[in-house]
Amino acid sequence: MATSGSLICVKDLKKHYKGGAIKALDGVTVDINKGDVMVVIGPSGSGKSTFLRSLNLLEEPTGGSILFDGEDITKKRYKNADGKTVKLDVDALRQKMGMVFQHFNLFPHMTILENMTLAPIKVKKMPKAEAEKKALALLDRVGLKDRADAYPIQLSGGQKQRVAIVRALAMEPEVMLFDEPTSALDPEMVGEVLDVMKELAKEGMTMVCVTHEMGFAREVGNRVLFMADGQLVEEGTPEQIFGNPQSPRLKDFLAKVL
Amino acid sequence: MDSFVKMENFATVAKYSSLFAQGLLVTVLLSIFTVMIGFCIALVMALMRLSDIRPFRFLGIGPDGYQRESGALAVISRFNPVSFIATAYVEVLRSTPVIVQLFIIYYGVFGIFDLPNFTMFGFIKFPRFFPGVVALGMNSGAYLCEIIRSGIQSIDGGQTEAARSLGMSKVQNLRYIVLPQALKNILPAIANEFVVIIKESAITYTIGVQDIMSAVNAVRGAAFVITEPLLVATGIYFCLCFPTSKLIAYFERRMSHGDKR
C-alpha cells in the first residue's frame, strides 16, 4: 500500500531486455519509509542490484513507477505544481540519494579530502573552507581524519569503502543506497565497514542495502526483501525472513547461505 | 676519395644560418598552432563520436513496446548523425596522405578566396603559413581524436556512476573526473603525436612555407651542397623533438601521484 509517509514508493517496477526475453526486474512493488533500514537479499542474478540502481536511475526502468517524495522520477517530463510541464532534474534527484558501490569508485586522481569536497563545492556551491571542515568532521567519525591528504591507492579496501560512505554523506542525502558494499573486501575488513553502516542506521538514516551479509541483515535491518528472478518473493522483518521463511525459494536460499 | 661529409661545406651552410634560424621559428610556430587547432578539433570530434544523439530512436520501439533487436528499423533507430560525421572525418583524414590534404587546402580551399597578404616577423608569409597550419591541424585533429576517444573510454564506468550519483552533471563528470584521468592515460600517445606534428610540419615547404626544410632547399639551390644542410636540419629537428617528448614524460610523472602507494 502506498502511504503518504513513504519516502520512496516503488510500483510494478520492470526492467526488460531483448524484447522482454530477459527480465532483470519483473514487477517489483515496495514502499520505503523514512528511517527504514531495508536489506535486499537473494541469489546472484535475482535483480537486487538492478532494483537498487533503478532507485537513483543509474538503470532506466522499462516499466512501472518510482515515487520519490511523491514525485514520479521515472517520467522524464512531468507537470509541476503550477501545471507546467518541466523536465525531471536527475542531478538534483541524485543529490538526495547517496550511493555506495561494491568497488568503492573513489576518484584515484584526487586526495581523500578532494574526493569528499568535489561534489559539495561544485554541485552544492558550498564554500571550499566549509566543505573541507565538514569533510574532515565526517572523516573523523570513521577514524580516517589523518588520511585526508592520502590518495585512494594508499588506503586499504575497508578504508576506501569507509571514505566512499562519508563521501556520499557529505552531500547530506535523504537516503543511502548500498550496492554490495562489503563484497569486494577482504574478510577482516568487512567488520569496519559494517560498523560504519550500523552507526548510520542508529542515527536514523534511511538505508537500502543489497548485501550477502546475513548477520548484518538480521542485526541491523528492520525490513528484509528476498528477491529471485527479478521478483520480490518475500518481505518481512528479519525475524520472519530468517526465522520463519515461507516460500520454498527462500528456504532453499537460506539453506545455502546460512 | 670523396668523403660523405666535407667540413668546409658546413662553413658554407653557416653563411645561411639566419635562414635556419628563421626556419626554426617557423617550424616551432607551425607546430604550436597545429597542436592547438588539432587539439580543439580532436576534443570536439571525440565528444561527437561518444555522443548519444539518435533522432530516430522512436523507430526502434516495436509494437509490443520493447526495443527492436534486429531489422532495418532497429538499425535506423541506432543511427547517430553526430557521431557519423565525426567518424567520417577521422576515417577520411587518416586514410589519405597529408600532402594531398595540404594541397587541397592550399590550392583548393584557399585558392578560392584571398587571404590577407601580410608577413609576420618580416618573413612568415601569412597566405602560405595559414593554410599549412589549417591542413596540419585538421590532420592531427583526426589522430588526436582517436587518442582522446580511447582515453575517455579507458576510464572505468564506475567513475562516471560515482560522479553522477553524487549529483554531478554530465559536463562536470567529464571536466573533473573523466578527462583528467583520461589525459594522464593518453599522455604518452599525445607526446608521440606532438613529435609527429613537429616532423610532419616539414611537408609545408612544398607550399612555400619557409621552415627548416625550406632553408635546406635554399642552401642547396644557392651553394650546391645538400648533405651538410640536411645534417644541420636533422640536428635541429632532433633538438626540437627530443626535449618535447622528455617534457611530456615529466608531466606524466607529475600527474601520476594517484598511482603510487
Side-chain angles (χ1 to χ4, degrees):
Chain A
M1 259 283 291
T3 55
S4 55
S6 310
L7 185 61
I8 305 173
C9 300
V10 181
K11 211 173 163 205
D12 199 26
L13 194 67
K14 287 186 177 122
K15 173 80 182 183
H16 292 184
Y17 300 97
K18 304 244 173 224
I22 298 172
K23 298 182 167 101
L25 281 182
D26 197 16
V28 173
T29 301
V30 67
D31 287 350
I32 302 165
N33 302 312
K34 255 196 163 63
D36 265 352
V37 178
M38 179 178 278
V39 181
V40 187
I41 59 171
S44 58
S46 59
K48 316 183 290 288
S49 279
T50 310
F51 166 70
L52 191 77
R53 292 159 55 83
S54 296
L55 293 181
N56 73 348
L57 301 179
L58 283 181
E59 298 277 356
E60 257 182 65
T62 50
S65 65
I66 304 169
L67 298 183
F68 183 80
D69 275 343
E71 188 180 287
D72 189 351
I73 59 173
T74 56
K75 303 270 179 297
K76 287 192 171 138
R77 283 164 205 286
Y78 66 97
K79 278 195 172 29
N80 68 2
D82 307 335
K84 266 192 255 170
T85 305
V86 289
K87 238 178 133 175
L88 176 76
D89 188 349
V90 181
D91 299 335
L93 170 81
R94 286 186 179 133
Q95 289 175 46
K96 300 183 199 163
M97 301 194 190
M99 180 135 185
V100 176
F101 300 87
Q102 182 177 356
H103 295 290
F104 330 128
N105 295 350
L106 296 182
F107 307 131
H109 59 306
M110 295 178 178
T111 64
I112 300 307
L113 194 63
E114 287 165 348
N115 260 279
M116 293 191 58
T117 54
L118 180 71
I121 292 173
K122 299 298 176 192
V123 179
K124 282 199 154 175
K125 312 289 177 204
M126 196 184 277
K128 191 169 179 232
E130 192 191 332
E132 287 183 349
K133 203 175 136 217
K134 255 190 75 180
L136 287 172
L138 280 165
L139 281 174
D140 198 23
R141 266 178 52 182
V142 294
L144 289 169
K145 198 177 178 184
D146 55 329
R147 307 310 307 272
D149 294 321
Y151 282 91
I153 193 141
Q154 297 164 320
L155 269 51
S156 72
Q159 291 175 324
K160 278 186 212 173
Q161 196 61 298
R162 283 186 276 160
V163 170
I165 293 172
V166 285
R167 178 177 71 176
L169 288 177
M171 291 297 285
E172 297 175 330
E174 290 176 33
V175 52
M176 286 284 285
L177 311 174
F178 294 86
D179 190 2
E180 304 197 22
T182 56
S183 298
L185 294 176
D186 290 342
E188 80 265 25
M189 292 172 182
V190 170
E192 61 189 74
V193 171
L194 290 183
D195 285 344
V196 172
M197 291 169 63
K198 279 178 205 165
E199 194 75 18
L200 210 54
K202 256 191 236 153
E203 287 165 18
M205 173 62 80
T206 310
M207 293 162 63
V208 183
C209 181
V210 171
T211 187
H212 295 293
E213 293 294 326
M214 295 305 147
F216 175 82
R218 207 185 290 216
E219 192 186 336
V220 185
N222 71 331
R223 295 168 70 190
V224 179
L225 306 187
F226 172 68
M227 287 183 70
D229 303 325
Q231 287 171 331
L232 180 55
V233 176
E234 208 166 321
E235 190 206 328
T237 62
E239 294 75 36
Q240 289 168 335
I241 294 285
F242 293 107
N244 187 20
Q246 300 298 314
S247 70
R249 281 303 300 266
L250 177 56
K251 283 177 189 164
D252 184 46
F253 175 74
L254 290 176
K256 278 179 190 151
V257 297
L258 288 181
Chain B
M1 196 185 91
D2 264 5
S3 67
F4 171 60
V5 178
K6 292 200 185 81
M7 283 319 284
E8 63 262 34
N9 284 348
F10 279 112
T12 315
V13 175
K15 281 186 225 156
Y16 299 92
S17 59
S18 67
L19 271 185
F20 279 96
Q22 290 178 0
L24 173 64
L25 182 65
V26 172
T27 295
V28 168
L29 287 176
L30 260 179
S31 307
I32 290 171
F33 283 118
T34 300
V35 164
M36 291 196 309
I37 292 178
F39 210 83
C40 294
I41 291 178
L43 192 58
V44 172
M45 290 288 163
L47 294 179
M48 282 170 71
R49 284 202 71 168
L50 295 171
S51 69
D52 186 29
I53 299 165
R54 287 174 287 162
F56 306 113
R57 194 190 298 244
F58 64 93
L59 291 176
I61 309 289
D64 53 357
Y66 288 124
Q67 200 71 34
R68 289 181 208 272
E69 291 298 316
S70 58
L73 284 175
V75 173
I76 296 171
S77 75
R78 281 197 292 269
F79 178 67
N80 178 342
V82 174
S83 167
F84 178 81
I85 291 169
T87 309
Y89 174 89
V90 168
E91 294 304 343
V92 168
L93 287 194
R94 286 202 307 181
S95 312
T96 50
V98 193
I99 192 158
V100 174
Q101 295 162 15
L102 181 68
F103 280 15
I104 289 177
I105 296 288
Y106 180 65
Y107 294 109
V109 179
F110 290 106
I112 302 171
F113 47 94
D114 288 329
L115 284 168
N117 195 359
F118 64 91
T119 53
M120 302 181 289
F121 303 106
F123 58 90
I124 302 176
K125 297 195 189 75
F126 184 76
R128 293 174 189 276
F129 182 81
F130 186 70
V133 164
V134 169
L136 287 178
M138 285 177 67
N139 181 267
S140 68
Y143 286 94
L144 282 169
C145 165
E146 286 304 272
I147 294 173
I148 293 175
R149 182 184 60 85
S150 69
I152 291 175
Q153 284 179 330
S154 74
I155 304 305
D156 177 41
Q159 292 288 309
T160 296
E161 287 189 353
R164 298 305 304 278
S165 79
L166 286 166
M168 282 190 238
S169 66
K170 271 185 186 171
V171 176
Q172 285 173 327
N173 169 44
L174 204 59
R175 161 78 182 77
Y176 299 111
I177 306 301
V178 176
L179 282 183
Q181 295 184 59
L183 189 64
K184 194 196 84 200
N185 289 355
I186 62 179
L187 267 180
I190 287 189
N192 198 23
E193 181 59 24
F194 281 9
V195 167
V196 167
I197 288 171
I198 294 174
K199 293 185 293 181
E200 224 157 57
S201 71
I203 208 165
T204 55
Y205 102 93
T206 56
I207 59 167
V209 176
Q210 286 166 330
D211 71 337
I212 298 170
M213 224 17 228
S214 131
V216 172
N217 241 20
V219 175
R220 186 183 67 171
F224 307 109
V225 288
I226 179 65
T227 318
E228 292 78 6
L230 276 174
L231 287 177
V232 170
T234 306
I236 296 174
Y237 277 117
F238 183 81
C239 292
L240 280 177
C241 295
F242 186 64
T244 303
S245 51
K246 283 289 156 206
L247 188 70
I248 295 179
Y250 166 74
F251 281 118
E252 202 183 320
R253 276 198 304 280
R254 269 196 43 183
M255 287 179 81
S256 67
H257 45 208
D259 334 329
K260 282 193 290 276
R261 276 176 192 279

